[in-house]
Amino acid sequence: MKVLVIGGAGYIGSHVVKEMMKAGHKVTVFDNLSSGLRCNLFKENDFIYGNILIPADLEGAFAKGFDAFVHLAAFKAAGESMENPEKYSINNITGTLNIMNAAVKFGCKKMIFSSSAAVFGAPQYLPIDEDHPKNPENYYGFTKLEIERFMAWYDQLKGLRFAALRYFNAAGYDPEGEIKGLEQAPQNLLPRIMEVACGMRDELKVFGTDYDTRDGTCIRDYVHVTDLAIAHVKALDYIAKNDKSITVNLGTEKGTTVKELIEASRRITKKAIPAVDTERRPGDPACLYATSAFAKKELDWEPKYSDVDTLVETTWNAYMPKIEEA
């Protein structure tokens, strides 16, 4: 299929592009490079520089004729979304509607959407499944949930078949080492650990060590970005085969503690990685992890690269060149 990957120069997007190509799809990347990187582009792909907030850019892209598209162009910093909801309203909601309107106008009726487990809010039970109540606790999660609702209406009214993939923490890097572009101003734990290991950051802050978990630190669901990329490919296959939409959670079903990730990083990098225990952050639940039973049943997907050592090793391989620059 001819696939347009919107946000395909970004961290997750570039891995999705790689897996789409491996599956035999012809990929075009659409990106404004606000957070995506040119070094993440593959020479085999066409590249369209464009902005999802400019409908003419999107219409010009979709006019080239695509069978499917992947939407990975949403802003994703939960804390920022609470301070600047206008930014997230415009980019995530208006931008997505622009994408969907251009897609249906030019007959592109298969959509893969990178949603988020942030749609659920604080867990009422674990692991979180697809039927868990949706009560987002940040504006970012709210925008993702609203987009899921828009997609359901466009499915009903316009025949736009979609896959909404919900997950918590994308982590790791391309195991084959082809994708080297690092996330800009990372918010997640593992990249910050790597920045300390590389000397880019003096120390790591551990927010809370008195949670009711196996070692007192928060448990989070880290899914390898290549596993997530493979899920995008499998979701496209599902839509093409079944001509119906699907919403699935992608998780490890157990999660990893902050201390476990730090200790694995110290062992693998052979760096001290200074860490300072600090107070809990407001609104941080003790445990967040999802089940992927439905994804396994419907998409034949389960994580293959999401063990702690592979997450750390592949990320360290991407960050090691930074040691010389630090």
Side-chain angles (χ1 to χ4, degrees), residues 172-173 190 194 224 256 260-261 263-269 305-317:
Y173 270 82
L190 187 52
M194 293 297 118
H224 196 286
T256 303
E260 287 167 351
L261 201 56
E263 289 304 322
S265 298
R266 287 171 174 158
R267 171 170 49 83
I268 289 166
T269 66
Y305 300 98
S306 296
D307 60 281
V308 175
D309 281 13
T310 301
L311 290 170
V312 173
E313 286 169 0
T314 57
T315 309
W316 181 232
N317 289 339

Side-chain angles (χ1 to χ4, degrees), residues 6-24:
I6 301 169
Y11 167 56
I12 299 176
S14 55
H15 288 81
V16 170
V17 168
K18 179 174 179 176
E19 294 302 321
M20 287 285 179
M21 288 194 298
K22 285 172 68 173

Side-chain angles (χ1 to χ4, degrees), residues 40-54:
N40 282 341
L41 298 171
F42 294 88
K43 64 181 185 299
E44 298 92 337
N45 304 134
D46 291 331
F47 172 62
I48 300 171
Y49 180 85
N51 192 323
I52 64 172
L53 299 181
I54 301 175

Side-chain angles (χ1 to χ4, degrees), residues 74-314:
F75 292 146
K76 61 177 186 175
E80 181 189 44
S81 75
M82 299 295 281
E83 298 169 0
N84 192 355
E86 302 92 339
K87 176 180 178 179
Y88 281 69
S89 296
I90 293 167
N91 185 81
N92 291 11
I93 294 179
T94 304
T96 299
L97 290 172
N98 289 342
I99 292 169
M100 292 165 64
N101 288 339
V104 298
K105 179 176 180 177
F106 289 94
C108 186
K109 298 290 187 73
K110 300 180 184 70
M111 174 179 184
I112 312 300
F113 176 59
S114 178
S115 189
S116 172
V119 301
F120 297 113
Q124 296 185 17
Y125 56 82
L126 292 167
I128 295 173
D129 59 22
E130 287 77 8
D131 294 326
H132 187 285
K134 285 86 182 164
N135 186 27
E137 296 191 334
N138 55 64
Y139 194 72
Y140 159 70
F142 168 79
T143 66
K144 291 282 189 172
L145 185 58
E146 288 303 293
I147 291 166
E148 289 189 11
R149 291 172 173 156
F150 286 130
M151 290 191 301
W153 275 107
Y154 273 58
D155 179 316
Q156 178 182 332
L157 301 175
K158 293 291 186 177
L160 177 64
R161 305 295 182 242
F162 68 87
L165 309 180
R166 299 170 176 157
Y167 47 90
F168 284 107
N169 300 85
Y173 270 82
D174 173 23
E176 296 170 350
E178 284 187 271
I179 300 170
K180 302 179 186 298
L182 302 181
E183 278 192 279
Q184 307 299 296
Q187 302 293 315
N188 291 342
L189 176 62
L190 187 52
R192 290 189 169 191
I193 292 174
M194 293 297 118
E195 288 183 348
V196 177
C198 290
M200 300 163 63
R201 185 186 292 261
D202 292 334
E203 63 187 19
L204 185 75
K205 290 183 179 179
V206 177
F207 296 102
T209 58
D210 59 349
Y211 286 95
D212 184 17
T213 61
R214 52 186 175 263
D215 63 18
T217 61
C218 289
I219 293 175
R220 293 293 181 264
D221 209 355
Y222 301 96
V223 184
H224 196 286
V225 65
T226 296
D227 284 328
L228 295 174
I230 291 169
H232 284 69
V233 177
K234 287 181 175 286
L236 178 57
D237 292 343
Y238 177 92
I239 294 173
K241 179 181 178 181
N242 298 286
D243 188 32
K244 66 178 182 179
S245 299
I246 187 170
T247 299
V248 298
N249 293 357
L250 304 174
T252 63
E253 306 198 339
K254 58 184 188 301
T256 303
T257 72
V258 172
K259 282 185 178 178
E260 287 167 351
L261 201 56
I262 295 170
E263 289 304 322
S265 298
R266 287 171 174 158
R267 171 170 49 83
I268 289 166
T269 66
K270 297 180 172 56
K271 301 292 182 180
I273 308 179
V276 178
D277 295 343
T278 60
E279 296 297 314
R280 295 184 182 191
R281 288 183 301 194
D284 264 356
C287 300
L288 289 174
Y289 53 93
T291 176
S292 55
F294 187 62
K296 182 176 182 179
K297 174 177 177 286
E298 296 297 327
L299 304 183
D300 189 31
W301 178 89
E302 54 188 329
K304 296 179 180 179
Y305 300 98
S306 296
D307 60 281
V308 175
D309 281 13
T310 301
L311 290 170
V312 173
E313 286 169 0
T314 57

